[in-house]
Amino acid sequence: MSLPRTPEAASPPEVSATADSTTCSTAASTEASARSRLGRLVARAASDASVAGEGCARSGRRTSRRARSSSDLPRRCSLNVAIRTTIRSGRRATGDGRRATGDGRGVAEVVAVARVRRRVVVASTAGIFVESLDWTMYGLLAPYFAGQIFPGDDAVTKVLGAYAVFAAGFVARPIGSFVMGRITDTRGRRTGLLVSVTLIAVGAAVIAAAPTYAVAGPWAAVVVVAARVLQGIAMGGEVATAATYVVEVAPAERRHRYGAFAYSGDALGTLGGTVVLAVLLGVLGPDAVRAGGWRIAFVVAALCGLLALWIRRGVPESAVFERARAAGTEPAWPLLRAHAGRMVLTFMLTIGSTMGVYFGSVYLPEFAGHTGYYTEQQATSQHTVALVCLLLAMIASGFLADRFGPLPLIRAGFTAAAVLVVPLMLGVAAGVLPYAVAAPLFTTCVGLQLGVTPVAGARLFPVPVRAVGLGVPAGAAIALFGGTFLFVAEWLISTGALRLVPVYAAAGLAVSAVGSWLVSERLLYPVDTAVGTRAAEPVDPAAVAPTRPGGLP
């Protein structure tokens, strides 16, 4: 039922007519000014192109008669290109593209916003890259430093000890997911990004400087465990914080490609860890790496962490978070209880994602080495192609998700990976299927969902609990299934059950495939939803001042 209009609210006919006239004249003036500016730009481009064409013609006369006869061609080509380029930039500058004048913003402001958004993508990617680099290098280097750090009577026992510590870092992830998630949801997305990458860099530096068992005895392992727990706390909040930040800052029509580029840092970090190990083995040799060369890899990880920290210092706070904080938020615990079902779905989606990543990007070379058909070095050298396929699949999935939505990509990726992992890996184990074929196929299936699942998962929760709601179940799944995957796989192989490793991975991927079909579009919140705030509708953006210069609108 519509309310009747009060006499005071109604506008007299003459006032309305005057307003319409003023609006039309203003619009006409704006359009005329825009067309005039565009005309001047085109004329200037034509003049510049003419000068360039005459220069080309003079150069042609000095070279040959044939160049003289075609001297007009450079001029015409240069003129056409310049005019087309200028028209496009003129449209953007004058408002034909509705960017500069359509919403009242100038060219400088549009350029500034684009620059900040690019920095947002780089900052999110940098942190995820450092996380993946550090954890990948630990998994790959464990067989090399286990003999120096961990006690044991044989090499297998020491390697199992190193992998147990690898799993211990994951155990800290659920705790970190809650702690870092609450920091991100209460103090700000930017604060969460800075704290997480700082702790990751500190942990890498501690491992690089850890004493050996011969010097410190059992305390050597204690130092490494402490560093891994510190990193686990930081990394427990890294994925959820980055996903929350990207989903709130990215433009709606490019949200998933922004997220895909950011989470491509995971594949880049894995690729970087593989490259670092290959370089160390090629330059120093396996014996020198075992004797202490492995420390160089963790120094590289610490330096990359410091670089990521410097990049993240320059990003603004999320405007969506600022509006929610200005409106006032509801208590977290009731909101989390109300979204318990969505947290279960997040847990299911993360099981297959983390198992697929650690099997496909970290453990596959070692799995191939155990088959007897490849050495680990041969598999590692061929594994680069698989990592590149993982990266390309992640980026492609972001563009496809912006076009068709994220759910078809998530469902297709999980389902294909669950169905194909067993036949592909059993083919490698039997020597029937080349590793260079099986590994890229599997990582491509994993990459189809990996680039878009975190961004879609962030939309399962409202703004006040977005980071903790996504982070806690994801951290728990990563701790239970991702962190223990290397240990379980190594144990299965030590008992002679090599072929059960892909079966174990397929079971986790199947759980995520089922979870992906349980998620529907109606469960995904709008990015700026007012659910969980004390406002019935989103707060006016003009009422919220940016926390830093250049804050995104």
Side-chain angles (χ1 to χ4, degrees):
M1 182 178 68
S2 59
L3 296 176
R5 204 175 196 181
T6 60
E8 292 79 9
S11 298
E14 59 271 16
V15 174
S16 177
T18 303
D20 291 342
S21 175
T22 303
T23 302
C24 292
S25 63
T26 301
S29 176
T30 301
E31 181 178 1
S33 174
R35 292 183 179 277
S36 176
R37 189 188 308 178
L38 179 61
R40 290 196 299 271
L41 290 171
V42 172
R44 185 184 305 169
S47 176
D48 293 344
S50 176
V51 173
E54 290 173 2
C56 292
R58 286 196 299 270
S59 176
R61 284 195 296 270
R62 284 196 300 268
T63 55
S64 66
R65 183 175 304 173
R66 181 180 178 182
R68 247 192 338 267
S69 65
S70 59
S71 61
D72 284 341
L73 182 59
R75 178 178 175 181
R76 289 195 300 270
C77 293
S78 179
L79 177 61
N80 291 338
V81 171
I83 289 178
R84 285 197 301 268
T85 303
T86 308
I87 287 175
R88 284 195 296 268
S89 59
R91 284 174 176 170
R92 287 194 297 268
T94 58
D96 284 357
R98 297 190 302 276
R99 292 186 63 186
T101 60
D103 56 5
R105 294 189 292 176
V107 177
E109 186 175 353
V110 171
V111 172
V113 169
R115 185 181 297 114
V116 172
R117 283 176 172 165
R118 285 194 298 269
R119 192 176 184 93
V120 164
V121 175
V122 174
S124 301
T125 306
I128 296 174
F129 169 81
V130 172
E131 176 204 2
S132 178
L133 174 69
D134 182 83
W135 284 65
T136 299
M137 287 196 305
Y138 187 97
L140 294 176
L141 288 166
Y144 295 93
F145 67 76
Q148 283 198 327
I149 300 296
F150 298 96
D153 297 328
D154 55 78
V156 174
T157 302
K158 294 179 179 181
V159 171
L160 287 176
Y163 283 145
V165 174
F166 188 73
F170 281 96
V171 172
R173 281 203 174 202
I175 301 172
S177 298
F178 178 78
V179 174
M180 296 298 302
R182 290 300 296 156
I183 290 175
T184 302
D185 284 334
T186 57
R187 301 293 182 181
R189 316 311 195 198
R190 180 176 175 273
T191 301
L193 293 173
L194 293 176
V195 173
S196 63
V197 77
T198 300
L199 294 180
I200 293 171
V202 170
V206 170
I207 295 176
T212 64
Y213 182 79
V215 172
W219 289 104
V222 171
V223 170
V224 175
V225 170
R228 296 301 294 175
V229 169
L230 182 67
Q231 290 181 320
I233 292 174
M235 294 174 183
E238 172 63 31
V239 172
T241 300
T244 299
Y245 187 65
V246 168
V247 79
E248 292 180 355
V249 173
E253 71 278 5
R254 299 180 181 179
R255 180 172 297 128
H256 296 97
R257 72 188 69 175
Y258 272 47
F261 276 111
Y263 281 92
S264 67
D266 186 75
L268 288 173
T270 303
L271 180 61
T274 305
V275 170
V276 170
L277 175 60
V279 170
L280 290 177
L281 291 175
V283 175
L284 302 178
D287 293 336
V289 173
R290 290 188 182 92
W294 56 269
R295 298 180 186 273
I296 298 174
F298 290 100
V299 170
V300 171
L303 293 177
C304 289
L306 293 178
L307 178 61
L309 176 64
W310 174 78
I311 294 173
R312 286 186 167 185
R313 288 187 62 192
V315 299
E317 183 56 88
S318 161
V320 173
F321 169 78
E322 287 293 303
R323 289 195 289 269
R325 182 163 61 177
T329 59
E330 300 293 337
W333 288 113
L335 280 175
L336 291 175
R337 285 196 298 269
H339 292 81
R342 297 167 186 250
M343 296 177 74
V344 172
L345 288 176
T346 302
F347 183 83
M348 294 177 65
L349 292 174
T350 310
I351 290 174
S353 184
T354 186
M355 292 178 70
V357 166
Y358 278 97
F359 186 34
S361 62
V362 177
Y363 194 73
L364 265 185
E366 192 163 348
F367 174 83
H370 284 296
T371 64
Y373 292 99
Y374 303 89
T375 66
E376 191 172 339
Q377 289 183 344
Q378 289 174 335
T380 300
S381 63
Q382 296 182 30
H383 195 59
T384 303
V385 178
L387 295 178
V388 171
C389 289
L390 175 66
L391 175 64
L392 294 178
M394 291 176 66
I395 294 175
S397 70
F399 284 86
L400 291 173
D402 283 331
R403 179 72 180 274
F404 303 106
L407 294 183
L409 276 300
I410 297 172
R411 293 165 180 166
F414 279 129
T415 304
V419 170
L420 294 177
V421 61
V422 173
L424 289 176
M425 297 308 130
L426 291 184
V428 173
V432 176
L433 191 63
Y435 182 86
V437 174
L441 283 176
F442 178 63
T443 55
T444 298
C445 296
V446 173
L448 284 178
Q449 58 80 25
L450 188 61
V452 295
T453 298
V455 174
R459 291 182 57 199
L460 288 171
F461 304 95
V463 177
V465 293
R466 184 164 281 164
V468 71
L470 174 64
V472 169
I478 292 172
L480 292 174
F481 298 97
T484 60
F485 186 85
L486 302 181
F487 182 86
V488 171
E490 195 72 11
W491 176 77
L492 288 173
I493 291 174
S494 68
T495 61
L498 174 72
R499 287 168 172 76
L500 289 182
V501 174
V503 175
Y504 177 59
L509 288 163
V511 172
S512 292
V514 172
S516 68
W517 288 96
L518 294 177
V519 178
S520 61
E521 288 287 348
R522 65 181 180 82
L523 293 179
L524 303 180
Y525 280 113
V527 171
D528 58 349
T529 177
V531 173
T533 69
R534 296 191 177 96
E537 57 186 9
V539 180
D540 183 4
V544 182
T547 57
R548 291 175 56 84
L552 293 179

